[in-house]
Amino acid sequence: PEDPRFPSPQRMLTKPADCSGWPEPRIYLEAQQWFTGFTKDIDSQSKHIHIGACVPYNATLAGSVVLDVLVQLHLMDDHRLADISAQVEQADGRVPLANTGYTGLDCTQNLLSCQAVYRLVLDTTRAVYDGYFDFRLSTSLRRISMNQGPNFSEGQGFNSNCLLSFRARLANGKPTLAGNAKTGPNPTFGRGTQSFPWSYTEAFWRGDLPLQPVSGLWLIPLINTEQHADSASVTQSFISLDPAFHKLPPLIGTVLLRNSSSPGGWRGQLAIDTTKLANGFHKLFIRTDAKVPPFSLPSSIFPPEAPFPGGTNSGVLVVAFEVKN
C-alpha cells in the first residue's frame, strides 16, 4: 500500500519533475549513461540508461529517507537492470544506505524503451558522521545473453552503469567533522561508467541548484564536462533544453552548446532567457561525449589480442527547473 505521507511512486512515470508533497524541498535530477557505436549517430542510435529522482538537495536529513527512483532503458534490448544502490561518501569511504536487490528490469517486451519506479528507504543512521556529504544513487547493468564477462567485440563492457551525485546534510546526533560542518563547493554531477578504455565520463553543475522557480534572465553559475581516463578524452560537450531522445524521430531540444573543440572538456556559464519559455517545468540536459576510434586491444590486458570497434561513452546530467514569469 502507498504511504500517505509521500507522493505516489507512480507520479514519477507521468510527472517526474513535480517534486511537491515531500517532507522537505526537493528537485528532480537525473543521470544517464549512453553508448554509441563508432559509426552510429549519437542523437538517434545510442543505447542509454537513466536514473532519476526528486532528491533532497542541501536538505537536513535524519533517520529513514524515502526516494522514488525512476529508471529508464532505451535501445537496451541486450541488457537488464541488476540493481539500484544508495550510498553516502564519508571520510572513511562510501557507506551503503539502501539497495533494491536484483530487479531484472529489461526491454525484451518493448525493444525501444522501458521504465519502472523503485522506492528506496535510505537508512541515514548507518552514516558514521553528521554534516554535509555527497549522496550517490547508482545502477548496474548485466547482459541478458552473457552473464559473465564483457563482450568487447561489441564495444560494451560488463560494468556499464550510471551514477547521480548530490549533496545533503545529515543530522543523526553523530560527530561532525570540521570540513563537513558547512556545505562546500562539491558539485552535483551525472556519471556514465563504461569499461576500458573509458572508465567514466561526467557532466557537472557547480553551484546552487534551482529549488525555487526561476524567471527573467536566469544565470547558471558554472557547468563543466570531464572524462576520467588517459586512453579517452572529451570529444563533444552538448547542452540543450527539453530534448526528447526517446521519441521517433528523436527531438534534440533547443541546443545551447555543441562544442567539439575542447578535448579537456568544456567549462563555462550559461544564461537562459526564461521569458521565451512557457511557465511550468523544463529540463536542462548536459551531455559529455568521449569517442574512441577502433584499435587492437593489447594482449597484455585482454589476451589474446583482439580488435576493438570503438564507440562513444557519454555521461549525462539532467536538471529540472520551474519557470514562473
Side-chain angles (χ1 to χ4, degrees):
E2 294 185 2
D3 191 325
R5 297 174 298 169
F6 310 115
S8 168
Q10 298 308 304
R11 188 175 71 179
M12 294 294 291
L13 297 172
T14 56
K15 298 178 180 179
D18 181 1
C19 294
S20 60
W22 290 100
E24 64 284 300
R26 296 196 180 193
I27 182 172
Y28 181 78
L29 300 175
E30 187 176 293
Q32 301 175 17
Q33 186 260 343
W34 290 31
F35 182 82
T36 314
F38 184 74
T39 61
K40 295 188 176 182
D41 176 67
I42 195 166
D43 294 330
S44 62
Q45 296 177 299
S46 297
K47 302 180 177 187
H48 23 107
I49 178 172
H50 307 219
I51 181 171
C54 285
V55 303
Y57 167 75
N58 258 356
T60 297
L61 309 177
S64 296
V65 175
V66 173
L67 288 181
D68 288 337
V69 181
L70 173 64
V71 176
Q72 300 175 74
L73 304 178
H74 181 67
L75 296 180
M76 282 279 190
D77 56 296
D78 57 344
H79 283 74
R80 60 167 53 101
L81 176 68
D83 64 2
I84 305 167
S85 64
Q87 302 167 325
V88 61
E89 287 278 352
Q90 297 218 301
D92 301 325
R94 291 186 184 179
V95 178
L97 303 179
N99 187 283
T100 58
Y102 183 73
T103 71
L105 175 68
D106 65 54
C107 293
T108 53
Q109 301 302 312
N110 182 347
L111 299 185
L112 179 63
S113 61
C114 56
Q115 61 182 352
V117 180
Y118 300 91
R119 174 158 284 184
L120 286 178
V121 180
L122 282 60
D123 182 2
T124 69
T125 65
R126 293 181 179 178
V128 179
Y129 303 105
D130 280 354
Y132 287 92
F133 292 96
D134 295 327
F135 288 73
R136 306 283 176 88
L137 288 175
S138 61
T139 65
S140 61
L141 290 175
R142 294 291 183 268
R143 291 180 58 84
I144 294 175
S145 57
M146 185 170 62
N147 289 323
Q148 294 186 1
N151 188 340
F152 288 104
S153 65
E154 295 184 6
Q156 282 199 285
F158 181 59
N159 61 349
S160 303
N161 64 71
C162 63
L163 179 147
L164 175 65
S165 178
F166 65 94
R167 177 152 279 213
R169 176 177 176 264
L170 288 172
N172 286 306
K174 305 286 184 74
T176 300
L177 300 178
N180 301 101
K182 297 180 180 180
T183 185
N186 287 40
T188 302
F189 65 87
R191 172 186 295 171
T193 301
Q194 182 59 272
S195 293
F196 180 87
W198 291 277
S199 184
Y200 50 91
T201 312
E202 296 173 320
F204 289 86
W205 178 295
R206 299 183 183 273
D208 292 333
L209 291 168
L211 290 173
Q212 302 299 321
V214 298
S215 61
L217 186 65
W218 178 34
L219 299 177
I220 298 174
L222 186 63
I223 291 172
N224 74 287
T225 57
E226 293 183 7
Q227 164 65 34
H228 292 265
D230 292 337
S231 51
S233 60
V234 175
T235 52
Q236 180 176 248
S237 303
F238 177 85
I239 303 175
S240 72
L241 279 173
D242 298 326
F245 289 105
H246 290 190
K247 287 193 173 182
L248 292 176
L251 302 177
I252 65 172
T254 302
V255 177
L256 304 178
L257 176 79
R258 192 188 283 271
N259 180 298
S260 58
S261 60
S262 302
W266 182 85
R267 186 181 182 97
Q269 297 176 304
L270 289 177
I272 297 176
D273 184 358
T274 67
T275 65
K276 297 181 179 180
L277 303 176
N279 282 342
F281 291 106
H282 297 267
K283 292 182 179 180
L284 185 68
F285 176 93
I286 309 161
R287 191 184 71 211
T288 307
D289 302 328
K291 189 172 187 177
V292 174
F295 64 96
S296 293
L297 292 168
S299 57
S300 60
I301 303 177
F302 301 102
E305 185 170 301
F308 184 76
T312 302
N313 185 59
S314 302
V316 174
L317 175 66
V318 177
V319 177
F321 62 96
E322 184 180 7
V323 170
K324 187 177 289 186
N325 283 302

